[in-house]
Amino acid sequence: MNIFPTFDGHNDTLLRLQENESTGLQQFFRESTTGHIDLPRAHKGKFGGGFFAVFTPNENYEVAPDKFVTGNSYDLPLPPQIDQQMALAFTTRVAANLFKLERASSGKLKVVKNTEELIYCLKNQILAALFHIEGAEAIDTNFDSLHLLYKAGLRSLGITWSRPNVYGEGVPFRYPSTPDIGQGLTDHGKALVRECNDLGIMVDTTHLNEKGFWDVVELSDSPIVATHSNVHAICAISRNLTDKQLQAIKETNGVVGINYAINMLREDGGFDTNIPLETIVKHIAYIAENFGIDHVALGSDFDGTTVPDSLKDVQGLPNLQQALSNYGFTNEEIEKIAYKNWVRVLGASWK
């Protein structure tokens, strides 16, 4: 079988690099045994690039999942809202690191702003980095910062991480649970969707609660996208998408990037990393077989979650494609999952 370049819906590599500032951004250009992505391992795994997320964490917030587990269920507490100015300062600093990586890469990494650049990078083995913000806390309600960030290269925005903000509410990390938790988008949130549509910034519904999701479906004139979410019918965690949501994504010609987080993959919602690649394939196949091959892609959450031991890091991506082939997916279908579905949806979302 052919091994295709993978373009991926979500990674938190920028945050990992920011947390290790003392070692400098040069660590990205050296092969490491920690984390999930660096440039040498990306080349070995035919990782063509993806959504490089900027996420502003709450200071001094850490949760040990085992402290909130009761039997086979858990409900992790969410941190409070964060200040917009603080989030903007942090976002600016981390986003600047993405452009510093581009400058230091000697042409091996490019921040892509349109599909022509993305396709060129995938064809020429240049790592394509899409500037994405996870959680709109950095965006002021006048949208001045949104316009500036767009000019800087922002092309995708997640309205919420799981904590609430001025635009809407996310879902807590709760198992078992539906995503129908909390209220829909605020008036500011509805205005944000319209502004993103006008600018050509893709709106990401990942982490958004179900009422907010349906508000986006009603308001948006672009495909509905969840960059790193899975199938609720397989794993009934609040973060995963119901069949009704998946149908809406299909009807808008959107896409779901499958997340490699173990507790979003496993049917028991558990945290045991000893699961086969076929568990990831099961979520991919469910969407492909019930909603169409054009509506499923990859959204690893590399450097932001715990992935199966069978995958390990970005070098495991060819093995995942082999697992897809073993399941029965054709080369044409695997190519769509690997990158073509993302290219199509981004082309429909960007101006």
Side-chain angles (χ1 to χ4, degrees):
M1 61 163 285
N2 296 329
I3 299 297
F4 300 103
T6 294
F7 188 77
D8 183 87
H10 189 89
N11 71 66
D12 285 297
T13 302
L14 293 174
L15 184 60
R16 178 173 63 83
L17 294 173
Q18 178 67 26
E19 290 172 343
N20 297 282
E21 256 188 314
S22 60
T23 59
L25 295 178
Q26 284 302 316
Q27 64 182 300
F28 182 76
F29 301 105
R30 298 191 293 266
E31 186 166 345
S32 174
T33 57
T34 61
H36 295 138
I37 298 175
D38 53 49
L39 193 60
R41 284 184 289 171
H43 285 160
K44 288 182 179 180
K46 291 204 72 172
F47 180 69
F51 291 57
F52 279 68
V54 178
F55 167 71
T56 304
N58 288 75
E59 293 182 1
N60 304 316
Y61 171 75
E62 292 185 15
V63 170
D66 58 332
K67 292 184 178 180
F68 300 93
V69 174
T70 305
N72 292 326
S73 65
Y74 51 83
D75 189 359
L76 307 187
L78 288 177
Q81 290 185 228
I82 57 175
D83 175 72
Q84 186 263 328
Q85 287 296 316
M86 184 275 284
L88 180 58
F90 187 87
T91 296
T92 302
R93 186 161 71 250
V94 177
N97 285 338
L98 178 59
F99 293 98
K100 290 176 184 177
L101 285 176
E102 180 183 45
R103 184 177 181 184
S105 74
S106 301
K108 296 176 181 176
L109 180 151
K110 180 174 177 56
V111 180
V112 295
K113 301 175 183 178
N114 54 60
T115 53
E116 289 78 11
E117 292 176 347
L118 173 54
I119 293 167
Y120 178 85
C121 288
L122 291 171
K123 287 183 176 178
N124 291 279
Q125 299 178 332
I126 299 167
L127 193 67
L130 189 157
F131 174 20
H132 168 81
I133 292 177
E134 182 176 31
E137 285 87 351
I139 308 301
D140 62 278
T141 54
N142 290 326
F143 304 137
D144 295 336
S145 55
L146 184 70
H147 283 257
L148 287 172
L149 289 164
Y150 174 78
K151 285 295 184 181
L154 177 69
R155 291 298 181 271
S156 176
L157 176 68
I159 297 173
T160 63
W161 181 65
S162 283
R163 69 193 162 213
N165 62 31
V166 70
Y167 299 109
E169 296 182 38
V171 288
F173 300 94
R174 182 182 298 170
Y175 178 91
S177 174
T178 77
D180 189 11
I181 303 165
Q183 300 303 308
L185 297 183
T186 66
D187 288 343
H188 290 308
K190 294 174 182 178
L192 177 62
V193 172
R194 297 186 188 100
E195 198 75 11
C196 286
N197 280 177
D198 288 345
L199 282 170
I201 297 172
M202 196 194 77
V203 175
D204 179 17
T205 63
T206 301
H207 286 280
L208 192 62
N209 65 5
E210 190 171 358
K211 286 186 174 66
F213 175 93
W214 292 117
D215 284 338
V216 176
V217 172
E218 182 179 347
L219 290 162
S220 182
D221 59 14
S222 293
I224 303 300
V225 171
T227 58
H228 56 299
S229 298
N230 291 350
V231 176
H232 192 272
I234 298 174
C235 174
I237 189 173
S238 54
R239 273 278 283 108
N240 285 345
L241 298 165
T242 67
D243 282 6
K244 188 176 178 182
Q245 290 175 296
L246 293 171
Q247 180 64 27
I249 288 169
K250 172 185 178 177
E251 289 174 358
T252 64
N253 207 23
V255 74
V256 180
I258 294 300
N259 192 322
Y260 307 157
I262 51 172
N263 63 311
M264 293 174 61
L265 290 166
R266 297 176 60 98
E267 291 186 17
D268 63 3
F271 294 91
D272 184 353
T273 58
N274 184 26
I275 56 174
L277 291 174
E278 286 72 21
T279 310
I280 301 174
V281 174
K282 186 175 183 180
H283 285 261
I284 295 169
Y286 185 93
I287 296 175
E289 292 167 3
N290 291 285
F291 303 98
I293 190 66
D294 292 332
H295 308 297
V296 63
L298 302 174
S300 66
D301 212 350
F302 276 145
D303 284 324
T305 194
T306 302
V307 306
D309 294 337
S310 55
L311 185 70
K312 187 179 177 182
D313 61 20
V314 72
Q315 295 176 95
L317 292 172
N319 295 333
L320 177 58
Q321 291 194 26
Q322 183 62 59
L324 288 167
S325 178
N326 294 345
Y327 181 87
F329 286 102
T330 66
N331 277 346
E332 181 182 6
E333 290 170 334
I334 294 170
E335 190 174 21
K336 285 187 174 186
I337 295 165
Y339 74 92
K340 278 194 168 182
N341 286 342
W342 275 127
V343 172
R344 185 196 81 248
V345 168
L346 289 169
S349 301
W350 293 347
K351 302 295 185 185

